[in-house]
Amino acid sequence: LLNTMAALDKIDDVIDKVAKPDDNKTEESKKDADGTMTPEYIIKYLVEKSKTNDKLIKVLGSPDKQEWKAKECGDGNINYIFIVEGCDGSVVVKQAPPFIRLVGTDWQ
């Protein structure tokens, strides 16, 4: 359990970047029209990051062994929350968009 917690601490910067992607990454496939992350984008991003951050592989297991899966969980009023599952474990990715989810993008 301590090793898992240490690994999760090390990927905080990865999770932050998922919630706040680089401005030059604006392809429609990466985000929904309102700017929120999609499960597909999160998987692509984390798989790419796992090439330079072995902590993701240690927590989730290799995406080559079993494809990682992401699903949105809950129906929060403010944040988007995804569970990413691999063959060895799972992580939670939380996105705090710059608007209140319940109200939509008009509220910023």
Side-chain angles (χ1 to χ4, degrees):
L1 181 60
L2 292 176
N3 287 340
T4 301
M5 295 305 293
L8 291 175
D9 288 341
K10 298 288 185 182
I11 64 170
D12 280 343
D13 63 314
V14 173
I15 302 306
D16 287 343
K17 288 183 180 180
V18 169
K20 301 172 189 171
D22 296 338
D23 290 337
N24 61 352
K25 297 180 180 180
T26 58
E27 295 176 24
E28 194 62 30
S29 64
K30 294 181 180 179
K31 297 181 183 178
D32 285 337
D34 64 2
T36 60
M37 299 295 124
T38 63
E40 296 80 15
Y41 172 74
I42 290 169
I43 294 297
K44 287 178 187 177
Y45 183 85
L46 291 178
V47 166
E48 186 63 31
K49 283 298 177 185
S50 73
K51 295 175 184 174
T52 59
N53 184 341
D54 65 339
K55 301 297 183 186
L56 287 167
I57 301 294
K58 289 180 181 178
V59 173
L60 293 171
S62 173
D64 297 329
K65 186 176 178 183
Q66 178 183 333
E67 187 175 308
W68 295 346
K69 296 178 183 169
K71 62 182 176 182
E72 186 173 358
C73 62
D75 56 349
N77 294 326
I78 298 174
N79 299 308
Y80 293 87
I81 300 172
F82 298 89
I83 297 175
V84 179
E85 298 176 320
C87 60
D88 291 343
S90 60
V91 296
V92 173
V93 176
K94 177 180 174 183
Q95 180 198 15
F99 54 87
I100 296 175
R101 178 179 180 180
L102 184 64
V103 179
T105 57
D106 292 338
W107 182 280
Q108 293 193 21

